[in-house]
């Protein structure tokens, strides 16, 4: 596996080694020892999640606070998404900055989003199956979020805003300035 650091400390794009032949392909999608060595952190995942969405669905930007904060290792099994992480660590030099990466079933890239980041994705293909590991269990009382269209973040979702499909809950998320990001 190749671990590519991003401009946001702790976030990595991960490119697996894919072995292809006439039968198809094989790849190791996760190895705890290789992963921890690659991201320079001791992370132990406790939960796997999967979602299926259609084109234009935007999920996020979500996070968990306090002792329930989560790191995520995300990938797309089928389809294509624009995946976004926003640094919401108040003491970080990159606070309020974001990074986006296209993840697809074809490129097999993964994205590691450490604790202290808001995370979301937008489906670019007709459908997408999104899979992610979390290092902490979800806790409803510790959930938070930031509006996808916060002008301070200025995220280019690479999709017409008028065609986005967003949950009512995500429509009501505050801007970064008004979000409660307790670490």
């Amino acid at each position: 596996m190749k671990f590519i650091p991003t401009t946001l400390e702790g976030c990595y794009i991960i490119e697996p080694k894919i072995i292809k032949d006439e039968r198809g392909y094989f790849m190791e999608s996760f190895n705890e020892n290789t992963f921890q060595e690659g991201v320079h952190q001791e992370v132990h995942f406790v939960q796997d999640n999967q979602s299926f969405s259609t084109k234009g669905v935007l999920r996020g930007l979500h996070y968990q606070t306090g002792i329930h904060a989560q790191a995520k290792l995300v990938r797309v099994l089928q389809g294509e998404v624009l995946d976004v992480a926003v640094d919401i660590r108040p003491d970080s030099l990159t606070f309020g900055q974001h990074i986006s990466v296209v993840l697809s079933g074809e490129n097999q890239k993964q994205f590691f989003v450490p604790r202290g980041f808001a995370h979301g994705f937008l489906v670019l293909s007709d459908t997408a199956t999104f899979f992610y590991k979390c290092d902490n269990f979800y806790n409803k009382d510790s959930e938070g979020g930031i509006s996808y269209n916060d002008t301070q973040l200025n995220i280019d979702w690479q999709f017409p805003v008028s065609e986005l499909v967003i949950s009512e809950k995500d429509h009501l998320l505050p801007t970064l300035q008004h979000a409660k990001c307790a670490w």
Side-chain angles (χ1 to χ4, degrees):
M1 288 187 179
K2 183 177 179 182
F3 292 81
I4 303 164
T6 69
T7 55
L8 301 180
E9 184 182 354
C11 288
Y12 288 85
I13 297 168
I14 303 166
E15 295 179 346
K17 179 180 178 184
I18 301 172
I19 301 166
K20 296 181 181 183
D21 65 19
E22 66 279 353
R23 299 170 295 166
Y25 73 88
F26 171 84
M27 69 174 214
E28 184 177 77
S29 61
F30 180 75
N31 175 307
E32 186 175 61
N33 293 333
T34 304
F35 176 80
Q36 289 181 7
E37 191 175 294
V39 299
H40 313 288
Q41 298 179 45
E42 188 171 323
V43 180
H44 300 283
F45 294 106
V46 298
Q47 182 175 326
D48 286 349
N49 300 306
Q50 185 170 316
S51 69
F52 177 82
S53 303
T54 57
K55 189 173 195 167
V57 168
L58 191 151
R59 296 181 184 264
L61 301 157
H62 304 143
Y63 57 86
Q64 294 274 291
T65 61
I67 63 169
H68 300 288
Q70 295 177 322
K72 296 178 181 177
L73 177 61
V74 304
R75 67 188 192 130
V76 171
L77 303 176
Q78 168 274 321
E80 182 177 77
V81 307
L82 180 70
D83 200 77
V84 176
V86 179
D87 188 346
I88 58 173
R89 302 170 295 181
D91 297 333
S92 171
L93 295 175
T94 56
F95 175 79
Q97 294 180 27
H98 70 276
I99 186 165
S100 59
V101 59
V102 173
L103 303 175
S104 70
E106 186 176 321
N107 71 24
Q108 296 290 337
K109 290 179 181 178
Q110 297 180 53
F111 188 36
F112 175 63
V113 182
R115 292 179 180 198
F117 284 78
H119 173 259
F121 66 91
L122 169 69
V123 178
L124 300 173
S125 54
D126 288 337
T127 62
T129 304
F130 190 83
F131 179 85
Y132 60 103
K133 296 179 168 302
C134 297
D135 76 333
N136 207 349
F137 297 106
Y138 170 79
N139 181 283
K140 183 172 178 51
D141 295 333
S142 297
E143 70 180 347
I146 300 169
S147 177
Y148 73 95
N149 63 356
D150 184 336
T151 55
Q152 180 182 343
L153 302 177
N154 197 28
I155 297 171
D156 177 4
W157 288 102
Q158 302 176 20
F159 200 84
V161 174
S162 62
E163 296 176 29
L164 294 176
V165 180
I166 303 170
S167 71
E168 183 178 335
K169 177 179 160 183
D170 286 355
H171 266 297
L172 300 174
L173 292 175
T175 62
L176 177 60
Q177 180 180 354
H178 295 99
K180 295 177 180 148
C181 306
W183 304 113

